[in-house]
């Protein structure tokens, strides 16, 4: 019976998803105050970027795990990006795929707090909670457990570090909006390489503390720009390169791609292995704001990084790469387009998140463990088992 649920190809998932969407589509348009310009529902990519082709890894041993989270990146988003890039994505290299259910403990349609907590700690929790169970008790995350076992760790994001997804790996709070409290939790987080935005939460605080200086006192190289970050070749890194989020993909260049590869370069010096969480955080924003051109830009930046990561992993041979989302954003429907012209047209059905099951792509040794249909909490348990963190 179990075999029936196994999904082995990207094409099969697309067919299933289309069917699910046709059955579940609701034309409910939520108010969207942030996008005053109106929806941007069309996009054309004149010149596609080059994608890589990697071979499959033969060995079974996993030393390192790289978890790549595309916040709000469902199969419509991925399918549209594939068409816009003229029928090619680096994600096409992944042979093992699965589906993960995202609902929170107390709410069917989740947020990045509850969904991130499920993947980071293995427990479903309440909407807007960060690294705590339904009673508010703190839970150890994959980065905590990896650190305890002597592995190196990294978190590299395009949002603020105190934003929900990175926070679920480093902080414990019942409310994701208490970002100054969440920022203070980073002092005891023990992650070796931290890169993102959100500097204000560390330096412009009601309690007057300067957490960038406190991180420096704890042995981090505490830096405020990418130019400073890129020159660091050893030791622990705390890089908060913007006051808020990083600029959108079309304006920030490839700094997130570079920071991701620098993190891998530094933490892979540990012979015991590493765990890295790389987040394409702003894919979610442009779903909320119904902006397909900038949504495509964020997914392209994410996919270009995927290309670099799997090339690195292929060479390494003992690295498992998992690409997934925490939930889908916007209830996006892929309506039309042209592969040769790189044109896409979509339609949004909500200003919030949707409840659709999300895709998981796995590459490298033990990637077959991510095939099937499962709860988002199993992302944690599978990684913890594979890295022997329990
Ligand atoms: Mg996020
Ligand atoms: Zn969101």
């Amino acid at each position: 019976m179990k075999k029936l649920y196994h999904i082995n190809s990207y094409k099969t998932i697309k067919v299933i998803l289309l069917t699910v969407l046709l059955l579940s589509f609701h034309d409910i348009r939520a108010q969207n105050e942030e996008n005053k310009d109106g929806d941007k529902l069309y996009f054309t990519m004149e010149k596609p970027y080059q994608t890589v082709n990697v071979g499959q890894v033969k060995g079974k041993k996993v030393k390192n795990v790289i978890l790549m989270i595309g916040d709000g990146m469902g199969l419509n988003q991925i399918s549209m990006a594939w068409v816009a890039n003229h029928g090619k994505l680096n994600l096409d290299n992944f042979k093992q795929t699965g589906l993960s259910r995202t609902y929170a403990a107390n709410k069917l349609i989740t947020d990045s707090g509850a969904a991130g907590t499920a993947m980071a700690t293995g427990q479903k929790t309440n909407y807007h909670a960060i690294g705590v169970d339904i009673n508010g008790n703190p839970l150890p995350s994959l980065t905590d457990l990896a650190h305890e076992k002597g592995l190196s760790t990294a978190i590299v994001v395009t949002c603020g570090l105190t934003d929900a997804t990175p926070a679920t790996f480093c902080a414990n709070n019942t409310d994701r909006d208490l970002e100054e409290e969440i920022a203070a939790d980073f002092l005891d987080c023990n992650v070796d390489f931290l890169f993102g935005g959100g500097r204000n939460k560390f330096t412009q605080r009601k309690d007057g503390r300067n957490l960038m200086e406190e991180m420096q006192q704890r042995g981090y190289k505490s830096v405020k720009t990418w130019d400073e970050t890129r020159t660091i070749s050893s030791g622990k890194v705390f890089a908060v390169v913007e006051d808020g989020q990083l600029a959108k993909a079309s304006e920030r260049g490839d700094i997130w791609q570079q920071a991701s590869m620098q993190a891998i370069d530094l933490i892979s010096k540990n012979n015991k292995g590493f765990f890295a969480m790389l987040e394409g955080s702003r894919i979610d924003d442009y779903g909320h704001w119904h902006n397909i051109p900038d949504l495509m830009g964020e997914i392209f930046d994410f996919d270009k990084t995927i290309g670099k990561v799997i090339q690195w992993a292929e060479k390494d041979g003992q690295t498992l790469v998992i690409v997934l989302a925490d939930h889908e954003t916007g209830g996006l429907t892929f309506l039309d387009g042209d592969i040769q012209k790189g044109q896409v047209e979509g339609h949004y059905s909500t200003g919030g998140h949707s409840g659709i099951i999300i895709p998981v792509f796995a590459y490298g040794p033990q990637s077959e463990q991510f095939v099937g249909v499962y709860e988002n909490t199993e992302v944690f348990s599978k990684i913890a088992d594979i890295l022997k963190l329990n």
Side-chain angles (χ1 to χ4, degrees):
M1 270 310 280
K2 212 174 167 221
K3 270 246 147 63
L4 280 176
Y5 294 97
H6 283 199
I7 311 260
N8 278 307
S9 87
Y10 179 45
K11 266 188 192 157
T12 317
I13 289 192
K14 281 204 288 192
V15 170
I16 289 172
L17 182 94
L18 212 65
T19 314
V20 171
L21 269 170
L22 287 170
L23 292 172
S24 66
F25 186 76
H26 298 282
D27 191 20
I28 303 163
R29 177 155 297 220
Q31 288 297 9
N32 180 15
E33 290 166 14
E34 307 218 38
N35 187 13
K36 298 196 174 64
D37 300 335
D39 296 356
K40 296 190 178 75
L41 302 176
Y42 302 88
F43 176 70
T44 304
M45 178 90 154
E46 304 285 342
K47 195 172 174 293
Y49 59 87
Q50 290 294 310
T51 55
V52 303
N53 284 304
V54 297
Q56 299 302 307
V57 173
K58 294 270 184 313
K60 288 279 164 217
K61 185 173 182 276
V62 176
K63 187 174 156 193
N64 317 306
V65 171
I66 301 171
L67 176 63
M68 300 184 68
I69 303 177
D71 196 315
M73 190 181 74
L75 274 170
N76 276 281
Q77 285 83 349
I78 293 167
S79 305
M80 288 175 73
W82 183 86
V83 170
N85 199 43
H86 299 231
K88 265 190 192 322
L89 285 179
N90 290 314
L91 204 46
D92 297 345
N93 286 285
F94 288 65
K95 304 292 181 217
Q96 312 290 349
T97 58
L99 294 166
S100 162
R101 295 191 193 95
T102 67
Y103 60 89
N106 65 345
K107 199 171 183 299
L108 188 59
I109 310 303
T110 197
D111 80 310
S112 294
T117 299
M119 298 190 286
T121 73
Q123 289 204 34
K124 296 254 186 195
T125 191
N126 293 334
Y127 192 70
H128 276 208
I130 298 289
V132 294
D133 68 16
I134 55 170
N135 300 310
N137 301 309
L139 298 165
S141 74
L142 285 170
T143 47
D144 297 327
L145 297 171
H147 174 75
E148 278 169 28
K149 291 283 176 182
L151 280 69
S152 290
T153 54
I155 294 176
V156 186
V157 300
T158 55
C159 58
L161 279 169
T162 53
D163 225 308
T165 312
T168 59
F169 288 83
C170 261
N172 312 100
N173 207 302
T174 52
D175 183 0
R176 62 181 281 176
D177 291 335
L178 301 177
E179 289 189 60
E180 290 192 10
E181 287 182 14
I182 287 169
D185 283 356
F186 277 76
L187 290 169
D188 300 312
C189 173
N190 289 312
V191 169
D192 298 283
F193 190 107
L194 289 157
F195 176 95
R199 194 193 300 132
N200 281 346
K201 305 294 186 296
F202 296 90
T203 57
Q204 311 280 309
R205 298 169 54 83
K206 287 193 201 88
D207 61 13
R209 288 167 69 184
N210 184 330
L211 301 185
M212 285 201 73
E213 282 173 11
E214 291 186 35
M215 288 296 272
Q216 185 86 24
Q217 285 152 16
R218 295 201 180 212
Y220 283 87
K221 283 169 184 147
S222 224
V223 294
K224 291 181 179 172
T225 64
W226 166 239
D227 278 340
E228 292 169 277
T229 313
R230 70 194 309 165
T231 62
I232 301 170
S233 56
S234 66
K236 288 164 70 160
V237 178
F238 181 66
V240 277
V241 300
E242 292 285 348
D243 283 334
Q245 311 204 69
L246 269 65
K248 62 182 176 182
S250 60
E251 292 167 3
R252 69 172 177 263
D254 63 353
I255 67 167
W256 181 72
Q257 298 173 39
Q258 290 191 51
S260 297
M261 297 318 294
Q262 190 194 9
I264 291 169
D265 186 41
L266 289 184
I267 63 176
S268 62
K269 290 174 181 168
N270 184 341
N271 290 331
K272 288 185 177 164
F274 70 80
F275 171 77
M277 193 286 280
L278 315 177
E279 189 200 17
S281 320
R282 304 209 59 192
I283 295 167
D284 176 68
D285 289 337
Y286 296 104
H288 285 292
W289 301 339
H290 296 184
N291 179 333
I292 287 173
D294 284 321
L295 171 78
M296 292 295 113
E298 294 298 329
I299 297 178
F300 294 153
D301 188 48
F302 190 64
D303 186 64
K304 287 173 189 173
T305 310
I306 290 171
K308 291 177 178 162
V309 166
I310 55 177
Q311 278 186 313
W312 189 94
E314 181 194 27
K315 221 168 128 193
D316 178 73
Q318 298 188 337
T319 299
L320 168 64
V321 183
I322 302 142
V323 179
L324 46 61
D326 49 356
H327 54 72
E328 193 273 348
T329 302
L332 179 62
T333 305
F334 179 18
L335 288 179
D336 204 358
D338 185 310
I339 298 174
Q340 269 72 45
K341 292 177 184 159
Q343 284 177 353
V344 288
E345 178 192 352
H347 173 80
Y348 285 100
S349 58
T350 175
H353 302 158
S354 78
I356 193 162
I357 200 164
I358 57 97
V360 181
F361 302 82
Y363 171 86
Q366 305 297 331
S367 54
E368 65 279 0
Q369 299 211 27
F370 290 82
V371 169
V373 183
Y374 41 87
E375 300 296 323
N376 53 2
T377 48
E378 283 191 40
V379 174
F380 167 90
S381 51
K382 289 173 195 294
I383 294 172
D385 286 350
I386 289 166
L387 284 176
K388 301 182 179 67
L389 301 180
N390 289 315

